[in-house]
Amino acid sequence: MRRILVVGGGYAGFYTAWRLEKKLRKGEAEIVVVDPRPYMTYQPFLPEVLAGSIEARHAAISLRRNLRRSRVVAGSVTRIEHARRTVTIHPVQGADFEMPYDIIAVTAGAVTRTFALPGVAEHAIGMKHVEEAVAIRDRLLTAFDEASVLPPGPDRERLLTVTFVGGGFAGVEGFTELVSLANGLLKSYPELTRDDLHFHLVEATRRILPEVGDRQAQWVRDRLERQGARVHLETTLVSALNGRVLLSDGTAFDSDLIVWTTGNAATRLIRSHTDLPVTERGLIQTRADLRIGTEDEFVPDAWAAGDDAAIPDLAAAPGMFTVPNAQNAVRQGKLLAKNLLRSLRGREPKKYLHHTLGAVATLGLGSGIFQYKRIVVKGLLAWLMHRGYHVLAVPTWDRKVRVLAVWVAALFYGRDIVSLASVQRPRDAFVNESDVPVLESRSA
């Protein structure tokens, strides 16, 4: 029986394996999925996880629960040697080992793109995973608790200063949700006012939200500034040493929370540890039919999809590649499963062609923006469209029902504002609150 090895359990990898399970005949092929995390993150829900509108676990889709006919390996692929049809796997526990395969589907995704800037690695948090969204929310809630007992001054100002770097969809959605959460928290903290809050959004280009038109992007910016946020355009982060933010326009301030959302970069696996063809940008060279290779020649039994693949965009101008977003990753994963089946059964694969469904973003509780060509919707209706689209799009009925239940509860009781930052150090209470002298006397 042939082994199909899926490298990565994110959007593209999850949907590839999920669809293969439904369509493969008994004994036709074995599916192996390798990923260090036991779940697929539904990233469009991360801004709402960050704001407390969705429970963290509801944005995580269990691989083992949903890929019941696949073998799930908890680890990372550190090397691909396609000439030998072998990968090296670094497991979560134990020594590295090799695994042979017959067909490989590289869907390793991407990592957060960072630069060698002072202080960023030590102080910034990304926003690609559930753990990061939870940490951002808990940091803000904890900062409110700590600032509420401090007098006005630099310490309180630092605690209530938030910096987001990156003005794309991920950055703007996360930023607006956090601004909305912070403004909503003020009614529970009479010691604080809106003047105590300092929110900064830093974007290197001349505008935020490149996925929508100029007028719409300006509307979002104006809305943020009315809420007290400051948007720095054509500005970059220079340093974040010791939490001291220095921007290229000369602005400097202390920030307790720095969130980095500046885009994607290829993983080290793709950049340096594979004999498969890679582009100058460090992405897998992929054809429109998702086979690895060029239009003139493809690599047998090697496929790719998602953020790690340079796939020609047949709906755009020649030479353009598909945008690394959720829409493309999901649809590429579904097509990859179909094409793998077609290849196994001696049929030619189909090319990937996808016309955008438009862009929709949440801008905090009760507000959003949607654009499809010249059609633009703003405010409450766009927010409802965002929620409706994503509750339909999130895989499995289990997650749809759980998310809807939390939203309904929030209509009556509002967001939960309890910080669980202490779970990141679960032994502190046990160690610090234990009755050490009594234990010592008993042992005596």
Side-chain angles (χ1 to χ4, degrees):
M1 185 165 55
R2 305 191 77 184
R3 173 178 289 168
I4 301 172
L5 181 70
V6 181
V7 181
Y11 274 120
F14 176 83
Y15 276 94
T16 298
W18 204 31
R19 287 301 179 94
L20 280 173
E21 286 192 355
K22 295 178 180 180
K23 299 296 183 181
L24 279 171
R25 302 180 186 124
K26 187 176 181 180
E28 190 172 14
E30 173 195 11
I31 308 167
V32 178
V33 179
V34 184
D35 196 284
R37 286 183 169 83
Y39 59 84
M40 182 268 279
T41 301
Y42 190 75
Q43 291 185 350
F45 278 160
L46 291 186
E48 295 207 55
V49 171
L50 178 152
S53 298
I54 289 178
E55 289 296 323
R57 285 184 176 85
H58 298 171
I61 314 301
S62 170
L63 298 182
R64 292 184 181 272
R65 182 171 183 175
N66 294 287
L67 302 180
R68 298 183 180 181
R69 293 180 56 195
S70 300
R71 177 185 172 190
V72 178
V73 177
S76 303
V77 173
T78 58
R79 180 175 296 278
I80 300 173
E81 296 179 71
H82 192 65
R84 296 199 301 127
R85 300 293 197 279
T86 301
V87 296
T88 301
I89 297 176
H90 178 68
V92 174
Q93 290 289 335
D96 291 6
F97 62 92
E98 290 188 345
M99 176 179 287
Y101 62 84
D102 299 291
I103 301 169
I104 192 167
V106 185
T107 58
V111 296
T112 302
R113 181 177 61 188
T114 58
F115 306 94
L117 297 175
V120 169
E122 293 80 9
H123 297 283
I125 303 176
M127 211 181 80
K128 289 180 71 68
H129 302 290
V130 172
E131 303 95 325
E132 293 171 324
V134 172
I136 293 167
R137 176 174 180 267
D138 284 345
R139 285 276 291 274
L140 181 73
L141 294 174
T142 301
F144 265 73
D145 284 332
E146 295 175 353
S148 66
V149 297
L150 291 176
D155 289 338
R156 188 158 93 172
E157 185 171 335
R158 174 184 57 80
L159 285 169
L160 298 177
T161 299
V162 177
T163 307
F164 268 65
V165 183
F169 250 49
V172 170
E173 285 193 307
F175 186 73
T176 54
E177 285 286 351
L178 211 62
V179 170
S180 174
L181 174 61
N183 283 316
L185 285 172
L186 290 174
K187 62 185 179 182
S188 300
Y189 291 85
E191 306 91 343
L192 305 174
T193 68
R194 179 179 283 191
D195 291 339
D196 292 312
L197 305 181
H198 305 279
F199 279 78
H200 298 265
L201 178 62
V202 181
E203 170 54 39
T205 65
R206 66 178 183 84
R207 49 164 291 187
I208 59 174
L209 288 178
E211 298 87 347
V212 302
D214 286 347
R215 291 177 61 187
Q216 287 70 48
Q218 185 61 45
W219 177 80
V220 175
R221 179 185 176 185
D222 292 343
R223 184 178 181 278
L224 282 169
E225 291 178 342
R226 287 196 300 272
Q227 292 178 308
R230 184 174 176 185
V231 180
H232 305 261
L233 298 180
E234 298 183 278
T235 306
T236 58
L237 180 72
V238 176
S239 172
L241 276 175
N242 301 316
R244 179 70 175 176
V245 172
L246 176 62
L247 304 181
S248 60
D249 63 1
T251 305
F253 51 87
D254 292 322
S255 181
D256 188 62
L257 178 56
I258 302 170
V259 184
W260 189 269
T261 65
T262 59
N264 297 326
T267 64
R268 294 187 183 91
L269 167 68
I270 305 305
R271 293 197 306 265
S272 309
H273 303 289
T274 177
D275 57 359
L276 294 169
V278 177
T279 67
E280 292 181 358
R281 294 172 53 209
L283 302 176
I284 294 287
Q285 182 70 58
T286 311
R287 295 155 48 104
D289 60 11
L290 306 185
R291 287 186 287 194
I292 295 175
T294 64
E295 290 305 312
D296 298 324
E297 185 178 6
F298 65 87
V299 180
D301 300 322
W303 306 74
D307 293 355
D308 63 355
I311 301 170
D313 189 347
L314 301 183
M320 299 294 289
F321 298 97
T322 57
V323 178
N325 61 21
Q327 278 190 38
N328 281 318
V330 169
R331 286 161 179 79
Q332 288 167 10
K334 293 177 179 179
L335 179 63
L336 179 50
K338 291 180 181 179
N339 281 349
L340 283 167
L341 288 168
R342 293 177 71 90
S343 177
L344 284 170
R345 297 166 185 174
R347 301 167 64 189
E348 283 297 307
K350 293 184 177 181
K351 294 183 177 182
Y352 178 72
L353 173 61
H354 172 60
H355 296 279
T356 180
L357 302 176
V360 62
T362 175
L363 301 175
L365 196 62
S367 184
I369 186 167
F370 167 81
Q371 181 172 356
Y372 175 69
K373 296 182 179 179
R374 294 185 179 180
I375 301 172
V376 177
V377 181
K378 302 174 184 175
L380 178 62
L381 179 57
W383 179 74
L384 292 172
M385 292 170 66
H386 176 274
R387 285 199 161 186
Y389 171 78
H390 284 299
V391 81
L392 291 174
V394 66
T396 79
W397 279 101
D398 162 58
R399 285 298 177 261
K400 297 179 197 294
V401 172
R402 291 177 188 272
V403 168
L404 279 172
V406 173
W407 282 342
V408 171
L411 284 175
F412 297 97
Y413 304 109
R415 292 164 167 161
D416 195 329
I417 62 169
V418 175
S419 169
L420 294 178
S422 58
V423 301
Q424 298 171 38
R425 300 179 304 277
R427 295 189 68 253
D428 281 3
F430 175 75
V431 173
N432 297 333
E433 297 174 13
S434 61
D435 195 349
V436 177
V438 172
L439 292 176
E440 289 178 345
S441 64
R442 286 177 180 174
S443 60

